[in-house]
Amino acid sequence: MNLQETIANFKNYTDKMYSLQMAVEMFNWDMETGSPKGGISAIAKYMGILSSEAFGMSISDEMNVFITELQKNENKLDDITLAMLRMCKRDFESSKKIPKEEMRKYIELIANSGEIWKKAKMENNYNMYAKTLDEIIKYKIKFIDYRGFKEHPYNTLLDDYEPGMTVEKLDIFFGKLKETIVPLLKRINNSTVKLDDSYMKQHVSKETQEKISHVLMEKIGYDLNRGMLKQSTHPFSTGFGKNDCRITTDYIENDMLASFYSVMHEAGHAIYEQNKMDEIANTILDIGVSTGIHESQSRFFENVIGRSYEFLESIYTKIMGLVGENLKDVTLQKLYESVSLTPIRIYADELTYALHVMVRYEMEKDIISGNYDINDLPKIWNEKMEEYLGIIPENDTMGILQDIHWSQGDFGYFPSYALGNAYSAQLLSYMQKDINVIECIKNDDIVTITKWLTKNIHKYGAIKTPIELIKNISGEELNVDYLIKYLEDKYTKLYNL
Ligand code: ZN
């Protein structure tokens, strides 16, 4: 077989693998956005079979032959084939040691655990979920044993989401945040300026909130010809290639800002996915490169754009026209200042957000080291919340049960959220050298911002690594100082410190 034939066969093979993964995603989308309850265990079975088929392909002898052959000719490969090879090689080497049958059982466990978590959350009953969570953790630890690790077992999981990320780097990252943001929050709590968002907690119907979602999506250029908005318990985004990138939100009738910022956030994810180059459409590279880079895009739209005075000013009249009487006293300034200290991560303001993530990071580090007692986790959660944020969640629904991630086996994912914040602040700093970001927002010109992001991030999909992307833009690796400066500037002004 000549090289061109090998490349063609390799691409056909990865296309098939990608299609299986997309089928699993489609089942997942359907389950989360409203499939009949009675069918869930059957769907879980199909998902288990399809996932283990895709997983089997990623570690097969055939894949091994492709990797060996292509590696021999690495200097003759174009960038796209090289990136595909890098991705397949990484998956192959990290997963080949996990027995297929154990992986199948794990995937089935995960497919069923979502419902158990949902019920436990709804009924505020951690014990109902503890056994399943413990089983998931035991699988994660066992898989790391199979896969091996460098320095710290948690590094193996971190690297799955953010290639190159380690406990060593994150300890420095969160250490700096702890040194600066925790004291800043204490100064805010002692300040005479008191901001909250209680005046926003008025009834706004689901229908009106849906209309607001559409105003936002149109405003920031989320293409609904290649996208879709539905409702789910936990807002998320998912994609089936660049031409079908979907999002969900959840409407809470006395808290319109919850959905407002969820839509901004999830649409930010989807816009990233929609702007990849055509050359990689519907291939294994037709995804975001890492969860940290993904979160940087969602955070950019949610925070840098969505929580800016200029953005709120540009939509204020339209939104107020929709919400009607209940919120008639909310001025633009009040809308901008609607900052709240909340026990719920997804509704957190920009300042405390990273502290929510720090709670999870520290817990995951211990859990994955095997250093945990499943029954103590809710207590530890609450203690850390009190120490860093000064709040104790009222109950476990508002505490340890709030996030879907652990029930999906997504340990190692949470740090991505804080990394996303840090990347987005670093991106903003460099974007401002090329364009006037605030003027763009003011002038309804989000397109110029998206073009910059497309040129530097979006178009590459998974072709370039996170470190390459950020270094190309800024000449340095991820640096948390940009985020700290952004938060200090914004919050010392807001609170007049
Ligand atoms: Zn996100």
Side-chain angles (χ1 to χ4, degrees):
M1 208 187 301
N2 68 33
L3 180 60
Q4 288 322 310
E5 282 168 345
T6 306
I7 292 172
N9 289 343
F10 170 62
K11 288 187 177 172
N12 282 337
Y13 188 85
T14 56
D15 275 353
K16 190 174 168 195
M17 210 164 70
Y18 179 80
S19 305
L20 288 168
Q21 287 157 354
M22 289 302 104
V24 175
E25 283 300 314
M26 190 62 90
F27 274 131
N28 188 51
W29 164 265
D30 193 53
M31 266 205 326
E32 293 298 328
T33 57
S35 65
K37 282 219 167 8
I40 283 174
S41 62
I43 302 279
K45 184 180 162 189
Y46 309 145
M47 286 169 81
I49 291 170
L50 290 174
S51 296
S52 71
E53 206 54 38
F55 178 72
M57 286 183 78
S58 74
I59 54 165
S60 69
D61 293 342
E62 209 175 342
M63 178 60 90
N64 195 11
V65 171
F66 282 130
I67 292 172
T68 316
E69 283 305 305
L70 292 174
Q71 259 181 327
K72 276 190 223 155
N73 295 288
E74 243 176 2
N75 54 353
K76 295 181 197 145
L77 303 179
D78 60 82
D79 285 353
I80 289 179
T81 315
L82 261 181
M84 285 177 165
L85 172 62
R86 187 189 64 223
M87 186 189 258
C88 289
K89 193 179 160 212
R90 196 168 154 259
D91 289 348
F92 182 83
E93 287 179 351
S94 72
S95 304
K96 69 179 173 189
K97 291 173 185 153
I98 300 177
K100 211 173 155 183
E101 183 53 23
E102 277 189 50
M103 183 51 105
R104 194 191 60 74
K105 282 190 188 149
Y106 167 73
I107 292 166
E108 213 170 297
L109 170 70
I110 293 300
N112 284 305
S113 62
E115 280 305 303
I116 299 169
W117 161 75
K118 230 183 257 177
K119 195 160 187 278
K121 182 183 175 184
M122 215 141 60
E123 296 180 16
N124 183 34
N125 187 345
Y126 173 77
N127 290 339
M128 187 187 271
Y129 167 61
K131 187 174 158 277
T132 307
L133 179 60
D134 201 30
E135 275 177 58
I136 294 171
I137 293 170
K138 295 225 158 77
Y139 267 114
K140 297 308 281 191
I141 293 176
K142 201 159 150 198
F143 288 174
I144 295 171
D145 276 346
Y146 287 132
R147 294 171 61 185
F149 63 87
K150 286 194 192 115
E151 309 290 332
H152 195 291
Y154 191 37
N155 283 348
T156 300
L157 301 183
L158 291 173
D159 195 73
D160 285 344
Y161 297 100
E162 198 64 15
M165 195 43 67
T166 61
V167 163
E168 197 184 353
K169 288 183 191 175
L170 281 180
D171 279 347
I172 296 170
F173 180 94
F174 284 111
K176 278 190 177 180
L177 282 171
K178 205 188 278 191
E179 267 168 35
T180 51
I181 305 304
V182 174
L184 176 60
L185 184 61
K186 292 217 167 94
R187 281 168 67 207
I188 286 173
N189 286 337
N190 294 330
S191 152
T192 50
V193 179
K194 298 288 173 212
L195 302 182
D196 70 15
D197 64 351
S198 54
Y199 47 83
M200 294 301 298
K201 314 272 183 200
Q202 302 289 338
H203 184 268
V204 177
S205 71
K206 187 189 150 193
E207 291 69 32
T208 302
Q209 293 197 44
E210 244 166 25
K211 283 183 194 151
I212 295 173
S213 300
H214 282 271
V215 170
L216 296 173
M217 291 188 297
E218 192 185 327
K219 182 95 178 169
I220 62 177
Y222 170 41
D223 179 1
L224 281 174
N225 281 322
R226 301 185 290 133
M228 170 186 274
L229 171 73
K230 277 199 173 185
Q231 196 174 349
S232 68
T233 317
H234 198 98
F236 69 100
S237 65
T238 191
F240 308 94
K242 63 170 285 190
N243 294 315
D244 185 350
C245 311
R246 309 179 187 189
I247 67 169
T248 70
T249 188
D250 189 19
Y251 298 111
I252 303 172
E253 296 213 316
N254 64 354
D255 190 2
M256 61 154 278
L257 285 184
S259 167
F260 183 106
Y261 284 114
S262 285
V263 169
M264 291 294 287
H265 180 98
E266 301 306 338
H269 280 302
I271 289 169
Y272 174 18
E273 294 278 345
Q274 288 182 330
N275 284 317
K276 286 166 295 194
M277 58 172 87
D278 288 332
E279 289 85 341
I280 56 172
N282 312 116
T283 70
I284 52 168
L285 300 175
D286 193 357
I287 53 167
V289 68
S290 71
T291 50
I293 294 292
H294 234 301
E295 286 303 321
S296 76
Q297 301 311 294
S298 53
R299 298 274 144 200
F300 200 95
F301 279 89
E302 177 192 350
N303 291 336
V304 176
I305 297 177
R307 293 185 204 269
S308 69
Y309 185 85
E310 292 74 14
F311 182 76
L312 294 171
E313 188 177 26
S314 73
I315 52 162
Y316 177 76
T317 313
K318 207 165 198 177
I319 300 288
M320 286 301 137
L322 286 169
V323 293
E325 277 299 291
N326 283 350
L327 286 162
K328 71 174 183 342
D329 294 333
V330 177
T331 60
L332 171 59
Q333 188 63 28
K334 282 202 142 188
L335 183 61
Y336 177 61
E337 288 175 350
S338 58
V339 174
S340 79
L341 196 55
T342 157
I344 309 293
R345 176 186 61 82
I346 58 166
Y347 304 140
D349 58 87
E350 290 175 271
L351 181 72
T352 53
Y353 192 88
L355 305 181
H356 285 269
V357 175
M358 195 162 73
V359 168
R360 290 151 177 82
Y361 167 68
E362 291 183 352
M363 287 183 74
E364 287 193 351
K365 211 167 68 171
D366 282 342
I367 289 170
I368 296 302
S369 310
N371 181 18
Y372 74 99
D373 179 332
I374 198 77
N375 300 312
D376 285 347
L377 296 182
K379 191 171 144 262
I380 296 171
W381 182 286
N382 293 348
E383 283 168 359
K384 286 188 187 291
M385 283 296 291
E386 189 180 13
E387 185 184 349
Y388 302 140
L389 289 106
I391 36 179
I392 310 171
E394 259 171 55
N395 52 41
D396 290 336
T397 300
M398 312 265 275
I400 194 166
L401 291 173
Q402 65 181 271
D403 294 306
I404 193 172
H405 303 62
W406 290 351
S407 77
Q408 299 304 293
D410 290 334
F411 286 84
Y413 190 116
F414 281 121
S416 317
Y417 292 121
L419 295 174
N421 279 356
Y423 279 128
S424 75
Q426 193 163 343
L427 290 177
L428 173 64
S429 176
Y430 284 87
M431 186 188 287
Q432 273 165 336
K433 294 181 200 295
D434 297 337
I435 57 176
N436 187 334
V437 180
I438 291 300
E439 279 301 308
C440 288
I441 298 174
K442 232 183 193 163
N443 299 330
D444 234 346
D445 181 20
I446 306 295
V447 154
T448 298
I449 293 174
T450 307
K451 272 190 186 151
W452 191 95
L453 291 170
T454 299
K455 179 174 148 238
N456 290 291
I457 307 265
H458 299 178
K459 71 170 184 186
Y460 293 111
I463 295 179
K464 287 191 189 294
T465 65
I467 295 174
E468 281 169 346
L469 286 174
I470 200 73
K471 268 193 161 174
N472 280 352
I473 295 164
S474 65
E476 61 179 323
E477 277 197 35
L478 178 69
N479 182 345
V480 72
D481 294 344
Y482 293 96
L483 175 64
I484 292 169
K485 184 165 182 329
Y486 169 87
L487 291 173
E488 281 177 340
D489 284 354
K490 182 163 183 177
Y491 280 82
T492 46
K493 267 188 212 128
L494 261 172
Y495 282 89
N496 218 357
L497 296 173

